[in-house]
Amino acid sequence: MIGQLHSYVIDAPDAHALACFYGELLGMQVQGSPGDDWVVVTGQGYRLAFQQAPDLQPPDWPDPARPQQTHLDVRVADIDTAEPAALALGARRLPGGGGDFRVYADPVGHPFCLVWDAPL
């Protein structure tokens, strides 16, 4: 095992509004405010995250020209150990990232993030 699932992240033109929808639908608590770029819904041992994407072209299932827009956040204890292990499995590093996350593509090209020191 390289890491643990930290978040399932969903892009949205209004992250807070979509988080409120899922919070109500699933009986979970929203952590964030209107206008936030990143809003989290937690409860029952699960976590969903909603990322602001103002120019989002919504999916048009099953049209492959407008695919689903989500990614996994995988929590790791040590990024310096986890990154080479993920790359050895076939991941590739993508541009972007921050102080507590790095962005990768799986072998098919789907993005995911390795995150560390991230609160639940």
Side-chain angles (χ1 to χ4, degrees), residues 7-96:
S7 301
Y8 185 73
V9 183
I10 302 172
D11 287 356
D14 183 336
H16 186 262
L18 192 57
C20 288
F21 168 82
Y22 277 103
E24 196 65 30
L25 182 71
L26 301 170
M28 297 168 71
Q29 190 160 6
V30 175
Q31 299 174 354
S33 301
D36 287 352
D37 289 340
W38 182 265
V39 181
V40 176
V41 175
T42 60
Q44 305 171 33
Y46 300 99
R47 172 185 162 112
L48 296 173
F50 299 85
Q51 179 173 274
Q52 191 77 15
D55 297 326
L56 177 77
Q57 292 291 320
D60 188 15
W61 181 262
D63 182 357
R66 301 250 306 268
Q68 301 175 53
Q69 295 120 3
T70 64
H71 73 271
L72 296 175
D73 280 355
V74 178
R75 182 186 328 203
V76 298
D78 178 5
I79 188 62
D80 294 324
T81 300
E83 180 175 77
L87 296 173
L89 290 175
R92 64 185 161 85
R93 181 90 185 263
L94 296 176

